Amino acid sequence: MIGRWRLAAYALPALALSLPTIPAYVYLPGLYAERVGLAATASILFAVRMADILADPLIGWAADRWGRRKELIAIGAPIAGLGLVCLFTPGGTDGPVDLAIWALALYVGWSLVAIPYQAWGAQLATGYDARSGVAFAREVAGLAGILAAGSLPVFVTRGGGDLAASVATVAWVGIAIGIPAFLLLLFAVPDPGRRAPAPIAPAAVLQIVRNRPFLQLMLGWFGNGFANGLAAALFPLFVRHRLQASEVDTAQALLIYFLSGILAIPGWLWLSRRLGKHRAWCAAMLCCAAAFVWAPLLGPGGIGWFLVICAVTGATLGADLALPPALQADVLDYDRWRFRVDRAGLMFALWTVATKLAAGLAVGFGLGVLALAGFSPDGGNGEAQLLLLALIYGGVPVVIKLLVIGLIWRYRITARTHRALSRRMAMRMECADT
C-alpha cells in the first residue's frame, strides 16, 4: 500500500485538474450560447468532443506502449492550461473559431493528463478496499477543487463581477495551483513503469469485447455520465429561466452541492466496505434519483427547495466519482488474469471515451432539443419551453439512473471474487517463477 505522503502527493493534482470542471461542463455552454448562439454552441462542443474522443484510445495506447505516465502528464498539463485560460479569458475574439480551437486544446490536454493519471492510481494499490482508499483520496482532492470552483463565483459575483469574470478567476486559480501540484506529483511519486502491455490489434479488441465485467461497468458508467452531463449542461438555464434565480443563487447552489459531496465521502467509503463498491454506488444513484425527481415540479421562487435538492444530490457525488474508478481497477485485474496482458492505459482511455461521449451527447441532446423547441437563452420563453427545460433537466436523468441501477446491481466482481482472483494471480506468478 502506498504511504500517506506519496498518496497525498498523488491526490493533490486532482484539485487542479478538477477546477475547470464547473467552467467547462456547467458554464461554458451557457456563456458561449449567448455569444455565438445556442445551436452553434451545441454543434461546436459536440464536434470538439468527438475529436477528443478519437484521441483518447491513442493516448491510452501510448501510455501502455511507452510504459511511462509522467511524460504524458508533463506534455498534457501545459496544453490544457493554455486552452483553459484562452477559453475563459478571451481577448475580444470569442467567436465560434475561438471556441473550437481552445476547447479542443483544453479537452485534449486534459486527456493527456487524466488517462495516465487514473491508470497510475489503479496501480498504486492492489487490494479491493485499498483501491477505494486511493480513489477516494483522489476524489476528495478533486471535489475540493470543484468546491473552490463553485465558491469563487460566489465571491466574485457578490463583489460586483459577472459570470464571465468569475470563471476567468477560476481558470487562473487553476493555473496557480496546478503548477506546484503537478511538479510534486512528477518528482515525489514513483512511476509504475511498463508491464508488457498488449498491442492494438483485432485480437485485442475481441478480448476486450469478451470481458463482460468491463462492458457492464462501461455501459453503466456511460449511462450515469449521460444523466449527470445532461443535468450539468442545463443547470444554469434551469436556475435562471425556470427558477428565475440570480447568478449569486446559481453559485450558492453549486457551492452547497459540492460541499455536501465532500462531507458525505467518509460515509460512502464506510458503506462500500460493508455492501461492496457496486452496491454502494447503486445506493448513491438511488438516493440521487429520489431527490432529483422533484426538480421539475419547481417554478419561480423555488430556489429554497432547489438548494435542498442540491444538498441531497451533492451528498451522493463522492460515491459517484470515486467508486466506479475503484471498480475499474478491479476489472484491470480480471483482464490481466484472463488474457495475460496489461491494458491499464487503454482501458482507462476507453472509460474516458465513454465519459466524454456521454457528456457530448448530453450537451448536444439537451441544447439541441431546446433549440428545436424554440427555447431562447436570452429569455422571453413561453410555458411550454420552460416545462420542456424542466423535464429534460430533472426527469430524463432520473429515468437513466434507475436503468443504470438495474444494470449494476448484479455486478460480478465483488470483494470475495476479487480475493479469489488475487490468489489465482499469485499462484500463477509463483508457478512462473519456478
Side-chain angles (χ1 to χ4, degrees), residues 335-381:
D335 189 71
R336 191 179 302 116
W337 170 77
R338 181 173 179 183
F339 301 110
R340 299 174 183 266
V341 294
D342 184 9
R343 285 187 278 250
L346 177 60
M347 296 183 76
F348 269 101
L350 294 178
W351 275 306
T352 303
V353 166
T355 302
K356 294 176 179 178
L357 184 61
L361 290 174
V363 172
F365 171 79
L367 297 184
V369 171
L370 290 178
L372 290 175
F375 182 89
S376 172
D378 298 324
N381 298 290

mmCIF file of all heavy atoms in Angstrom, residues 335-381:
data_model
loop_
_atom_site.group_PDB
_atom_site.id
_atom_site.type_symbol
_atom_site.label_atom_id
_atom_site.label_comp_id
_atom_site.label_asym_id
_atom_site.label_seq_id
_atom_site.Cartn_x
_atom_site.Cartn_y
_atom_site.Cartn_z
ATOM 1 N N ASP A 335 -8.913 -8.583 -16.334
ATOM 2 C CA ASP A 335 -8.401 -8.609 -17.698
ATOM 3 C C ASP A 335 -6.982 -9.164 -17.737
ATOM 4 O O ASP A 335 -6.640 -9.948 -18.629
ATOM 5 C CB ASP A 335 -8.440 -7.180 -18.270
ATOM 6 C CG ASP A 335 -8.138 -7.138 -19.756
ATOM 7 O OD1 ASP A 335 -8.997 -7.583 -20.556
ATOM 8 O OD2 ASP A 335 -7.052 -6.659 -20.128
ATOM 9 N N ARG A 336 -6.163 -8.780 -16.768
ATOM 10 C CA ARG A 336 -4.779 -9.255 -16.715
ATOM 11 C C ARG A 336 -4.728 -10.747 -16.427
ATOM 12 O O ARG A 336 -3.890 -11.477 -16.975
ATOM 13 C CB ARG A 336 -4.010 -8.472 -15.646
ATOM 14 C CG ARG A 336 -2.505 -8.681 -15.685
ATOM 15 C CD ARG A 336 -1.806 -7.859 -14.609
ATOM 16 N NE ARG A 336 -2.088 -6.439 -14.759
ATOM 17 C CZ ARG A 336 -2.743 -5.707 -13.870
ATOM 18 N NH1 ARG A 336 -3.208 -6.273 -12.749
ATOM 19 N NH2 ARG A 336 -2.944 -4.428 -14.072
ATOM 20 N N TRP A 337 -5.637 -11.225 -15.561
ATOM 21 C CA TRP A 337 -5.650 -12.653 -15.233
ATOM 22 C C TRP A 337 -6.149 -13.485 -16.411
ATOM 23 O O TRP A 337 -5.568 -14.513 -16.750
ATOM 24 C CB TRP A 337 -6.536 -12.889 -14.014
ATOM 25 C CG TRP A 337 -6.784 -14.343 -13.759
ATOM 26 C CD1 TRP A 337 -5.914 -15.243 -13.197
ATOM 27 C CD2 TRP A 337 -7.971 -15.077 -14.060
ATOM 28 N NE1 TRP A 337 -6.489 -16.487 -13.135
ATOM 29 C CE2 TRP A 337 -7.760 -16.414 -13.662
ATOM 30 C CE3 TRP A 337 -9.193 -14.735 -14.624
ATOM 31 C CZ2 TRP A 337 -8.716 -17.394 -13.824
ATOM 32 C CZ3 TRP A 337 -10.152 -15.713 -14.789
ATOM 33 C CH2 TRP A 337 -9.925 -17.024 -14.387
ATOM 34 N N ARG A 338 -7.202 -13.028 -17.076
ATOM 35 C CA ARG A 338 -7.803 -13.842 -18.135
ATOM 36 C C ARG A 338 -6.990 -13.815 -19.423
ATOM 37 O O ARG A 338 -6.835 -14.863 -20.079
ATOM 38 C CB ARG A 338 -9.231 -13.353 -18.415
ATOM 39 C CG ARG A 338 -9.934 -14.170 -19.486
ATOM 40 C CD ARG A 338 -11.380 -13.791 -19.643
ATOM 41 N NE ARG A 338 -12.020 -14.586 -20.687
ATOM 42 C CZ ARG A 338 -13.271 -14.440 -21.091
ATOM 43 N NH1 ARG A 338 -14.039 -13.513 -20.525
ATOM 44 N NH2 ARG A 338 -13.763 -15.202 -22.049
ATOM 45 N N PHE A 339 -6.453 -12.649 -19.788
ATOM 46 C CA PHE A 339 -5.803 -12.514 -21.087
ATOM 47 C C PHE A 339 -4.286 -12.335 -20.995
ATOM 48 O O PHE A 339 -3.627 -12.213 -22.023
ATOM 49 C CB PHE A 339 -6.413 -11.335 -21.852
ATOM 50 C CG PHE A 339 -7.894 -11.478 -22.073
ATOM 51 C CD1 PHE A 339 -8.792 -10.662 -21.400
ATOM 52 C CD2 PHE A 339 -8.393 -12.437 -22.935
ATOM 53 C CE1 PHE A 339 -10.159 -10.790 -21.601
ATOM 54 C CE2 PHE A 339 -9.758 -12.571 -23.145
ATOM 55 C CZ PHE A 339 -10.648 -11.746 -22.470
ATOM 56 N N ARG A 340 -3.735 -12.283 -19.764
ATOM 57 C CA ARG A 340 -2.291 -12.214 -19.532
ATOM 58 C C ARG A 340 -1.649 -10.979 -20.183
ATOM 59 O O ARG A 340 -0.542 -11.067 -20.732
ATOM 60 C CB ARG A 340 -1.607 -13.487 -20.042
ATOM 61 C CG ARG A 340 -2.082 -14.757 -19.349
ATOM 62 C CD ARG A 340 -1.479 -15.986 -19.987
ATOM 63 N NE ARG A 340 -1.979 -17.198 -19.377
ATOM 64 C CZ ARG A 340 -1.396 -17.860 -18.385
ATOM 65 N NH1 ARG A 340 -0.239 -17.423 -17.892
ATOM 66 N NH2 ARG A 340 -1.927 -18.955 -17.888
ATOM 67 N N VAL A 341 -2.322 -9.853 -20.139
ATOM 68 C CA VAL A 341 -1.795 -8.600 -20.689
ATOM 69 C C VAL A 341 -2.123 -7.474 -19.717
ATOM 70 O O VAL A 341 -2.958 -7.618 -18.829
ATOM 71 C CB VAL A 341 -2.401 -8.282 -22.079
ATOM 72 C CG1 VAL A 341 -1.974 -9.298 -23.113
ATOM 73 C CG2 VAL A 341 -3.925 -8.202 -21.993
ATOM 74 N N ASP A 342 -1.446 -6.339 -19.931
ATOM 75 C CA ASP A 342 -1.708 -5.158 -19.126
ATOM 76 C C ASP A 342 -2.189 -4.050 -20.050
ATOM 77 O O ASP A 342 -1.434 -3.569 -20.898
ATOM 78 C CB ASP A 342 -0.447 -4.709 -18.390
ATOM 79 C CG ASP A 342 -0.721 -3.528 -17.462
ATOM 80 O OD1 ASP A 342 -1.910 -3.190 -17.275
ATOM 81 O OD2 ASP A 342 0.239 -2.954 -16.933
ATOM 82 N N ARG A 343 -3.462 -3.675 -19.904
ATOM 83 C CA ARG A 343 -4.054 -2.641 -20.749
ATOM 84 C C ARG A 343 -4.587 -1.502 -19.893
ATOM 85 O O ARG A 343 -5.638 -0.938 -20.198
ATOM 86 C CB ARG A 343 -5.190 -3.225 -21.587
ATOM 87 C CG ARG A 343 -4.763 -4.089 -22.743
ATOM 88 C CD ARG A 343 -5.945 -4.482 -23.598
ATOM 89 N NE ARG A 343 -6.627 -5.613 -23.030
ATOM 90 C CZ ARG A 343 -6.627 -6.842 -23.564
ATOM 91 N NH1 ARG A 343 -5.976 -7.070 -24.678
ATOM 92 N NH2 ARG A 343 -7.278 -7.829 -22.981
ATOM 93 N N ALA A 344 -3.910 -1.137 -18.830
ATOM 94 C CA ALA A 344 -4.426 -0.117 -17.923
ATOM 95 C C ALA A 344 -4.687 1.197 -18.652
ATOM 96 O O ALA A 344 -5.751 1.805 -18.518
ATOM 97 C CB ALA A 344 -3.449 0.105 -16.765
ATOM 98 N N GLY A 345 -3.699 1.651 -19.437
ATOM 99 C CA GLY A 345 -3.874 2.915 -20.146
ATOM 100 C C GLY A 345 -4.999 2.853 -21.151
ATOM 101 O O GLY A 345 -5.846 3.751 -21.216
ATOM 102 N N LEU A 346 -5.043 1.789 -21.968
ATOM 103 C CA LEU A 346 -6.068 1.674 -22.996
ATOM 104 C C LEU A 346 -7.453 1.556 -22.391
ATOM 105 O O LEU A 346 -8.410 2.193 -22.859
ATOM 106 C CB LEU A 346 -5.769 0.466 -23.886
ATOM 107 C CG LEU A 346 -6.808 0.177 -24.974
ATOM 108 C CD1 LEU A 346 -6.935 1.361 -25.923
ATOM 109 C CD2 LEU A 346 -6.450 -1.096 -25.736
ATOM 110 N N MET A 347 -7.599 0.753 -21.334
ATOM 111 C CA MET A 347 -8.923 0.555 -20.760
ATOM 112 C C MET A 347 -9.416 1.806 -20.052
ATOM 113 O O MET A 347 -10.609 2.142 -20.139
ATOM 114 C CB MET A 347 -8.911 -0.659 -19.828
ATOM 115 C CG MET A 347 -8.625 -1.959 -20.577
ATOM 116 S SD MET A 347 -8.674 -3.442 -19.547
ATOM 117 C CE MET A 347 -10.441 -3.654 -19.342
ATOM 118 N N PHE A 348 -8.535 2.522 -19.373
ATOM 119 C CA PHE A 348 -8.963 3.795 -18.793
ATOM 120 C C PHE A 348 -9.276 4.804 -19.892
ATOM 121 O O PHE A 348 -10.150 5.657 -19.731
ATOM 122 C CB PHE A 348 -7.912 4.343 -17.834
ATOM 123 C CG PHE A 348 -8.121 3.911 -16.419
ATOM 124 C CD1 PHE A 348 -7.376 2.874 -15.876
ATOM 125 C CD2 PHE A 348 -9.073 4.526 -15.628
ATOM 126 C CE1 PHE A 348 -7.580 2.461 -14.560
ATOM 127 C CE2 PHE A 348 -9.278 4.122 -14.320
ATOM 128 C CZ PHE A 348 -8.529 3.087 -13.781
ATOM 129 N N ALA A 349 -8.573 4.705 -21.020
ATOM 130 C CA ALA A 349 -8.896 5.578 -22.154
ATOM 131 C C ALA A 349 -10.296 5.276 -22.682
ATOM 132 O O ALA A 349 -11.049 6.195 -23.029
ATOM 133 C CB ALA A 349 -7.861 5.399 -23.260
ATOM 134 N N LEU A 350 -10.661 4.001 -22.753
ATOM 135 C CA LEU A 350 -11.999 3.649 -23.231
ATOM 136 C C LEU A 350 -13.066 4.110 -22.252
ATOM 137 O O LEU A 350 -14.154 4.542 -22.666
ATOM 138 C CB LEU A 350 -12.079 2.135 -23.455
ATOM 139 C CG LEU A 350 -11.200 1.595 -24.586
ATOM 140 C CD1 LEU A 350 -11.319 0.081 -24.676
ATOM 141 C CD2 LEU A 350 -11.585 2.233 -25.913
ATOM 142 N N TRP A 351 -12.791 4.016 -20.960
ATOM 143 C CA TRP A 351 -13.733 4.573 -19.990
ATOM 144 C C TRP A 351 -13.837 6.094 -20.147
ATOM 145 O O TRP A 351 -14.920 6.669 -20.017
ATOM 146 C CB TRP A 351 -13.302 4.223 -18.569
ATOM 147 C CG TRP A 351 -13.782 2.877 -18.113
ATOM 148 C CD1 TRP A 351 -15.069 2.431 -18.111
ATOM 149 C CD2 TRP A 351 -12.993 1.795 -17.602
ATOM 150 N NE1 TRP A 351 -15.126 1.137 -17.624
ATOM 151 C CE2 TRP A 351 -13.865 0.720 -17.300
ATOM 152 C CE3 TRP A 351 -11.628 1.630 -17.350
ATOM 153 C CZ2 TRP A 351 -13.435 -0.483 -16.780
ATOM 154 C CZ3 TRP A 351 -11.193 0.431 -16.830
ATOM 155 C CH2 TRP A 351 -12.086 -0.623 -16.551
ATOM 156 N N THR A 352 -12.717 6.732 -20.430
ATOM 157 C CA THR A 352 -12.748 8.169 -20.663
ATOM 158 C C THR A 352 -13.536 8.496 -21.924
ATOM 159 O O THR A 352 -14.260 9.491 -21.977
ATOM 160 C CB THR A 352 -11.315 8.720 -20.776
ATOM 161 O OG1 THR A 352 -10.588 8.386 -19.587
ATOM 162 C CG2 THR A 352 -11.317 10.232 -20.932
ATOM 163 N N VAL A 353 -13.390 7.659 -22.955
ATOM 164 C CA VAL A 353 -14.197 7.835 -24.166
ATOM 165 C C VAL A 353 -15.681 7.778 -23.828
ATOM 166 O O VAL A 353 -16.478 8.600 -24.300
ATOM 167 C CB VAL A 353 -13.831 6.761 -25.214
ATOM 168 C CG1 VAL A 353 -14.876 6.710 -26.321
ATOM 169 C CG2 VAL A 353 -12.467 7.048 -25.807
ATOM 170 N N ALA A 354 -16.056 6.796 -23.013
ATOM 171 C CA ALA A 354 -17.466 6.689 -22.618
ATOM 172 C C ALA A 354 -17.919 7.929 -21.867
ATOM 173 O O ALA A 354 -19.039 8.421 -22.079
ATOM 174 C CB ALA A 354 -17.657 5.437 -21.748
ATOM 175 N N THR A 355 -17.055 8.461 -20.989
ATOM 176 C CA THR A 355 -17.391 9.672 -20.243
ATOM 177 C C THR A 355 -17.616 10.848 -21.178
ATOM 178 O O THR A 355 -18.625 11.576 -21.078
ATOM 179 C CB THR A 355 -16.269 10.007 -19.254
ATOM 180 O OG1 THR A 355 -16.066 8.900 -18.379
ATOM 181 C CG2 THR A 355 -16.610 11.239 -18.434
ATOM 182 N N LYS A 356 -16.693 11.044 -22.099
ATOM 183 C CA LYS A 356 -16.790 12.200 -22.990
ATOM 184 C C LYS A 356 -17.916 12.042 -24.003
ATOM 185 O O LYS A 356 -18.577 13.026 -24.361
ATOM 186 C CB LYS A 356 -15.455 12.409 -23.697
ATOM 187 C CG LYS A 356 -14.347 12.809 -22.743
ATOM 188 C CD LYS A 356 -13.024 12.925 -23.455
ATOM 189 C CE LYS A 356 -11.936 13.344 -22.486
ATOM 190 N NZ LYS A 356 -10.620 13.429 -23.134
ATOM 191 N N LEU A 357 -18.100 10.814 -24.485
ATOM 192 C CA LEU A 357 -19.204 10.594 -25.408
ATOM 193 C C LEU A 357 -20.532 10.874 -24.722
ATOM 194 O O LEU A 357 -21.429 11.496 -25.309
ATOM 195 C CB LEU A 357 -19.163 9.152 -25.927
ATOM 196 C CG LEU A 357 -20.205 8.786 -26.973
ATOM 197 C CD1 LEU A 357 -20.046 9.647 -28.219
ATOM 198 C CD2 LEU A 357 -20.109 7.302 -27.330
ATOM 199 N N ALA A 358 -20.650 10.437 -23.470
ATOM 200 C CA ALA A 358 -21.871 10.707 -22.723
ATOM 201 C C ALA A 358 -22.080 12.200 -22.522
ATOM 202 O O ALA A 358 -23.194 12.722 -22.709
ATOM 203 C CB ALA A 358 -21.823 9.992 -21.367
ATOM 204 N N ALA A 359 -21.006 12.909 -22.143
ATOM 205 C CA ALA A 359 -21.118 14.352 -21.928
ATOM 206 C C ALA A 359 -21.435 15.088 -23.222
ATOM 207 O O ALA A 359 -22.274 16.005 -23.246
ATOM 208 C CB ALA A 359 -19.827 14.889 -21.320
ATOM 209 N N GLY A 360 -20.763 14.691 -24.319
ATOM 210 C CA GLY A 360 -21.020 15.341 -25.595
ATOM 211 C C GLY A 360 -22.432 15.107 -26.087
ATOM 212 O O GLY A 360 -23.102 16.032 -26.565
ATOM 213 N N LEU A 361 -22.901 13.870 -25.980
ATOM 214 C CA LEU A 361 -24.272 13.572 -26.386
ATOM 215 C C LEU A 361 -25.279 14.287 -25.498
ATOM 216 O O LEU A 361 -26.340 14.721 -25.961
ATOM 217 C CB LEU A 361 -24.508 12.063 -26.356
ATOM 218 C CG LEU A 361 -23.782 11.253 -27.436
ATOM 219 C CD1 LEU A 361 -23.989 9.761 -27.202
ATOM 220 C CD2 LEU A 361 -24.284 11.646 -28.824
ATOM 221 N N ALA A 362 -24.953 14.409 -24.208
ATOM 222 C CA ALA A 362 -25.862 15.098 -23.290
ATOM 223 C C ALA A 362 -26.009 16.568 -23.664
ATOM 224 O O ALA A 362 -27.133 17.100 -23.704
ATOM 225 C CB ALA A 362 -25.348 14.965 -21.854
ATOM 226 N N VAL A 363 -24.879 17.236 -23.955
ATOM 227 C CA VAL A 363 -24.945 18.637 -24.353
ATOM 228 C C VAL A 363 -25.688 18.778 -25.675
ATOM 229 O O VAL A 363 -26.565 19.636 -25.829
ATOM 230 C CB VAL A 363 -23.526 19.235 -24.465
ATOM 231 C CG1 VAL A 363 -23.578 20.631 -25.078
ATOM 232 C CG2 VAL A 363 -22.873 19.294 -23.093
ATOM 233 N N GLY A 364 -25.325 17.927 -26.644
ATOM 234 C CA GLY A 364 -25.995 18.003 -27.937
ATOM 235 C C GLY A 364 -27.475 17.715 -27.851
ATOM 236 O O GLY A 364 -28.289 18.397 -28.487
ATOM 237 N N PHE A 365 -27.836 16.707 -27.035
ATOM 238 C CA PHE A 365 -29.251 16.361 -26.886
ATOM 239 C C PHE A 365 -30.014 17.459 -26.167
ATOM 240 O O PHE A 365 -31.056 17.933 -26.633
ATOM 241 C CB PHE A 365 -29.376 15.040 -26.124
ATOM 242 C CG PHE A 365 -30.792 14.697 -25.737
ATOM 243 C CD1 PHE A 365 -31.668 14.162 -26.662
ATOM 244 C CD2 PHE A 365 -31.242 14.917 -24.434
ATOM 245 C CE1 PHE A 365 -32.976 13.843 -26.306
ATOM 246 C CE2 PHE A 365 -32.536 14.615 -24.068
ATOM 247 C CZ PHE A 365 -33.406 14.070 -25.009
ATOM 248 N N GLY A 366 -29.498 17.886 -25.012
ATOM 249 C CA GLY A 366 -30.215 18.873 -24.202
ATOM 250 C C GLY A 366 -30.391 20.202 -24.902
ATOM 251 O O GLY A 366 -31.514 20.699 -25.061
ATOM 252 N N LEU A 367 -29.273 20.787 -25.373
ATOM 253 C CA LEU A 367 -29.368 22.078 -26.043
ATOM 254 C C LEU A 367 -30.044 21.960 -27.399
ATOM 255 O O LEU A 367 -30.761 22.875 -27.829
ATOM 256 C CB LEU A 367 -27.972 22.683 -26.198
ATOM 257 C CG LEU A 367 -27.216 23.014 -24.917
ATOM 258 C CD1 LEU A 367 -25.891 23.692 -25.231
ATOM 259 C CD2 LEU A 367 -28.040 23.887 -23.988
ATOM 260 N N GLY A 368 -29.817 20.829 -28.084
ATOM 261 C CA GLY A 368 -30.430 20.653 -29.393
ATOM 262 C C GLY A 368 -31.937 20.571 -29.328
ATOM 263 O O GLY A 368 -32.645 21.192 -30.141
ATOM 264 N N VAL A 369 -32.450 19.799 -28.386
ATOM 265 C CA VAL A 369 -33.905 19.683 -28.246
ATOM 266 C C VAL A 369 -34.519 21.029 -27.861
ATOM 267 O O VAL A 369 -35.576 21.420 -28.379
ATOM 268 C CB VAL A 369 -34.256 18.600 -27.207
ATOM 269 C CG1 VAL A 369 -35.753 18.621 -26.885
ATOM 270 C CG2 VAL A 369 -33.856 17.230 -27.721
ATOM 271 N N LEU A 370 -33.867 21.743 -26.965
ATOM 272 C CA LEU A 370 -34.372 23.062 -26.582
ATOM 273 C C LEU A 370 -34.359 24.027 -27.765
ATOM 274 O O LEU A 370 -35.295 24.824 -27.942
ATOM 275 C CB LEU A 370 -33.530 23.633 -25.437
ATOM 276 C CG LEU A 370 -33.685 22.961 -24.070
ATOM 277 C CD1 LEU A 370 -32.756 23.616 -23.059
ATOM 278 C CD2 LEU A 370 -35.125 23.036 -23.583
ATOM 279 N N ALA A 371 -33.300 23.957 -28.587
ATOM 280 C CA ALA A 371 -33.239 24.830 -29.762
ATOM 281 C C ALA A 371 -34.359 24.502 -30.738
ATOM 282 O O ALA A 371 -35.000 25.407 -31.306
ATOM 283 C CB ALA A 371 -31.880 24.691 -30.441
ATOM 284 N N LEU A 372 -34.645 23.219 -30.959
ATOM 285 C CA LEU A 372 -35.734 22.830 -31.855
ATOM 286 C C LEU A 372 -37.088 23.271 -31.323
ATOM 287 O O LEU A 372 -38.007 23.552 -32.106
ATOM 288 C CB LEU A 372 -35.719 21.302 -32.053
ATOM 289 C CG LEU A 372 -34.556 20.732 -32.866
ATOM 290 C CD1 LEU A 372 -34.614 19.204 -32.867
ATOM 291 C CD2 LEU A 372 -34.590 21.262 -34.299
ATOM 292 N N ALA A 373 -37.210 23.337 -30.002
ATOM 293 C CA ALA A 373 -38.473 23.750 -29.382
ATOM 294 C C ALA A 373 -38.628 25.262 -29.329
ATOM 295 O O ALA A 373 -39.637 25.766 -28.829
ATOM 296 C CB ALA A 373 -38.591 23.164 -27.981
ATOM 297 N N GLY A 374 -37.601 26.000 -29.811
ATOM 298 C CA GLY A 374 -37.688 27.454 -29.821
ATOM 299 C C GLY A 374 -37.271 28.114 -28.534
ATOM 300 O O GLY A 374 -37.566 29.302 -28.333
ATOM 301 N N PHE A 375 -36.533 27.391 -27.675
ATOM 302 C CA PHE A 375 -36.076 27.984 -26.418
ATOM 303 C C PHE A 375 -34.986 29.018 -26.704
ATOM 304 O O PHE A 375 -34.101 28.803 -27.529
ATOM 305 C CB PHE A 375 -35.529 26.897 -25.489
ATOM 306 C CG PHE A 375 -35.078 27.398 -24.147
ATOM 307 C CD1 PHE A 375 -35.964 27.468 -23.087
ATOM 308 C CD2 PHE A 375 -33.761 27.797 -23.944
ATOM 309 C CE1 PHE A 375 -35.537 27.925 -21.844
ATOM 310 C CE2 PHE A 375 -33.333 28.255 -22.719
ATOM 311 C CZ PHE A 375 -34.226 28.322 -21.660
ATOM 312 N N SER A 376 -35.022 30.151 -26.004
ATOM 313 C CA SER A 376 -34.041 31.212 -26.182
ATOM 314 C C SER A 376 -33.281 31.430 -24.882
ATOM 315 O O SER A 376 -33.898 31.652 -23.827
ATOM 316 C CB SER A 376 -34.718 32.516 -26.594
ATOM 317 O OG SER A 376 -33.782 33.581 -26.597
ATOM 318 N N PRO A 377 -31.935 31.382 -24.910
ATOM 319 C CA PRO A 377 -31.162 31.643 -23.692
ATOM 320 C C PRO A 377 -31.228 33.096 -23.255
ATOM 321 O O PRO A 377 -30.824 33.420 -22.136
ATOM 322 C CB PRO A 377 -29.741 31.252 -24.080
ATOM 323 C CG PRO A 377 -29.699 31.389 -25.558
ATOM 324 C CD PRO A 377 -31.073 31.028 -26.042
ATOM 325 N N ASP A 378 -31.725 33.971 -24.111
ATOM 326 C CA ASP A 378 -31.853 35.388 -23.760
ATOM 327 C C ASP A 378 -33.140 35.704 -23.017
ATOM 328 O O ASP A 378 -33.323 36.834 -22.555
ATOM 329 C CB ASP A 378 -31.776 36.247 -25.027
ATOM 330 C CG ASP A 378 -30.438 36.108 -25.729
ATOM 331 O OD1 ASP A 378 -29.434 35.975 -25.017
ATOM 332 O OD2 ASP A 378 -30.411 36.120 -26.978
ATOM 333 N N GLY A 379 -34.048 34.747 -22.888
ATOM 334 C CA GLY A 379 -35.308 34.971 -22.177
ATOM 335 C C GLY A 379 -36.493 35.064 -23.129
ATOM 336 O O GLY A 379 -36.373 34.834 -24.338
ATOM 337 N N GLY A 380 -37.643 35.395 -22.554
ATOM 338 C CA GLY A 380 -38.857 35.513 -23.345
ATOM 339 C C GLY A 380 -39.454 34.181 -23.752
ATOM 340 O O GLY A 380 -40.154 34.093 -24.774
ATOM 341 N N ASN A 381 -39.200 33.109 -22.983
ATOM 342 C CA ASN A 381 -39.712 31.789 -23.324
ATOM 343 C C ASN A 381 -41.114 31.589 -22.764
ATOM 344 O O ASN A 381 -41.442 32.098 -21.687
ATOM 345 C CB ASN A 381 -38.778 30.704 -22.777
ATOM 346 C CG ASN A 381 -37.385 30.781 -23.364
ATOM 347 O OD1 ASN A 381 -37.185 30.497 -24.535
ATOM 348 N ND2 ASN A 381 -36.407 31.192 -22.556
#
